[in-house]
Amino acid sequence: MHVFLTGGTGLIGSAVVAELLGNGHTVLALARSDTSALAAEAAGAETLRGGLADLEPLRAGAAQADGVIHLAFINDFSNADAVAQAVAEESAALATLGEELVGSDRPFVTVSGTPPMPGRVSTEADSLLTDGLVGGRGRAVNAVLGLASRAVRSSAVRMPRTVHNEGKGGFAGMLTDIARRTRVSGYPGDGTQRWPAVHALDAAILFRLALERAPAGTAWHAVADEGDAVRDIAAVIGQRLRLPVETVPQETYGPLGPIFATDQPSSSAHTRQTLGWEPTHPSLLNDLQNIQP
């Protein structure tokens, strides 16, 4: 397939580009800057200039593709207004891409997060949150899945709280960045809350499988590690950075504080059984050993 891809130079996107090209597909990557364009082209993709807020390039990219994968998101969690703006921008982009694909039976794979389910491990059958800080993302993804009734082979790959590669990325990467800045490897609460995780290279395989095989209107979990205790994650970060490990106020994490403090383990049993996806790359706790002091 000729695949139109947003977010093609990020941690996940760059892995998806390599996975697609390595399995016989071609890639047209949305690039909002010269730097992004050069990176995508160096990886072997064609590029289309524009950002997530530029709806005409999105329409043009989708129109000329055999399938679409959406990964881009403005990861500005500095305050609630910034998050709301990022969610609104992504929602408009998803609606634009979806409308271009209506009636085509082409695949449209979008990204979302695994839902927290109080008291238990979440599964692919659970619904996304549609309220709260990032509830708008859940509503937008549900709208994409709803395009199954309009002849779009839409699907969603739900990502865990940490997507990592060489010790970088995801919520664990945020903990690392904050630890470098504050000189404490901290965690909110008692640290027993669990975060699921996946290596970026394993996640990329699942995006390809969803593009190639996922039935319309389906959700999949890119979860390799069902749930690592946050204090165990912080302990590895502290050991690598030679910093003390201790609980810190939830407010340390700004708008993400309540999410960071939530227990949110997740399963991918259905995804593995149905799509034949099997993660093979290092676990989060092992991969964090790549953090450099």
Side-chain angles (χ1 to χ4, degrees):
M1 295 184 206
H2 185 54
V3 183
F4 179 50
L5 176 68
T6 72
T9 57
L11 179 74
I12 305 171
S14 57
V16 170
V17 169
E19 176 67 20
L20 292 173
L21 294 175
N23 284 273
H25 301 288
T26 57
V27 176
L28 174 65
L30 187 71
R32 64 178 178 178
S33 68
D34 291 341
T35 300
S36 293
L38 289 172
E41 290 164 4
E46 301 173 39
T47 56
L48 178 66
R49 293 302 297 269
L52 203 58
D54 302 322
L55 301 185
E56 285 306 317
L58 292 177
R59 289 189 187 94
Q64 61 186 285
D66 301 312
V68 174
I69 297 178
H70 165 72
L71 295 171
F73 187 74
I74 305 300
N75 289 301
D76 182 355
F77 298 105
S78 57
N79 57 67
D81 288 342
V83 176
Q85 176 61 35
V87 170
E89 184 176 286
E90 181 188 43
S91 298
L94 286 174
T96 299
L97 291 167
E99 284 298 322
E100 188 61 41
L101 296 173
V102 164
S104 70
D105 289 317
R106 286 177 284 171
F108 180 15
V109 185
T110 191
V111 65
S112 67
T114 55
M117 300 304 297
R120 67 174 175 84
V121 174
S122 70
T123 74
E124 295 88 343
D126 290 315
S127 299
L128 296 176
L129 296 178
T130 55
D131 55 12
L133 182 68
V134 293
R137 293 196 83 185
R139 295 191 296 272
V141 170
N142 287 343
V144 169
L145 296 183
L147 292 171
S149 66
R150 301 177 68 193
V152 179
R153 188 161 61 82
S154 56
S155 63
V157 175
R158 296 174 175 178
M159 307 304 294
R161 296 302 171 260
T162 286
V163 183
H164 57 92
N165 192 355
E166 297 296 318
K168 301 175 183 176
F171 280 8
M174 292 184 185
L175 289 184
T176 303
D177 293 342
I178 293 170
R180 291 185 191 277
R181 187 171 67 250
T182 63
R183 308 311 300 163
V184 171
S185 181
Y187 53 87
D190 63 7
T192 59
Q193 66 271 29
R194 293 160 294 173
W195 291 350
V198 68
H199 196 285
L201 297 180
D202 287 320
I205 295 171
L206 183 54
F207 276 99
R208 175 180 60 80
L209 292 174
L211 177 83
E212 295 173 345
R213 307 180 191 174
T218 54
W220 310 94
H221 279 192
V223 173
D225 309 337
E226 188 171 282
D228 294 309
V230 177
R231 66 185 179 194
D232 293 339
I233 297 170
V236 177
I237 294 169
Q239 179 258 323
R240 294 300 302 162
L241 298 181
R242 304 188 184 98
L243 295 174
V245 180
E246 58 191 59
T247 185
V248 298
Q250 185 172 297
E251 294 72 27
T252 302
Y253 307 104
L256 292 177
I259 297 175
F260 273 31
T262 301
D263 186 50
Q264 42 198 306
S266 187
S267 166
S268 59
H270 174 70
T271 297
R272 297 181 193 219
Q273 180 179 14
T274 306
L275 292 184
W277 178 67
E278 193 59 46
T280 60
H281 291 86
S283 69
L284 173 60
L285 296 181
N286 285 335
D287 198 29
L288 289 176
Q289 295 293 335
N290 289 298
I291 294 174
Q292 298 302 307

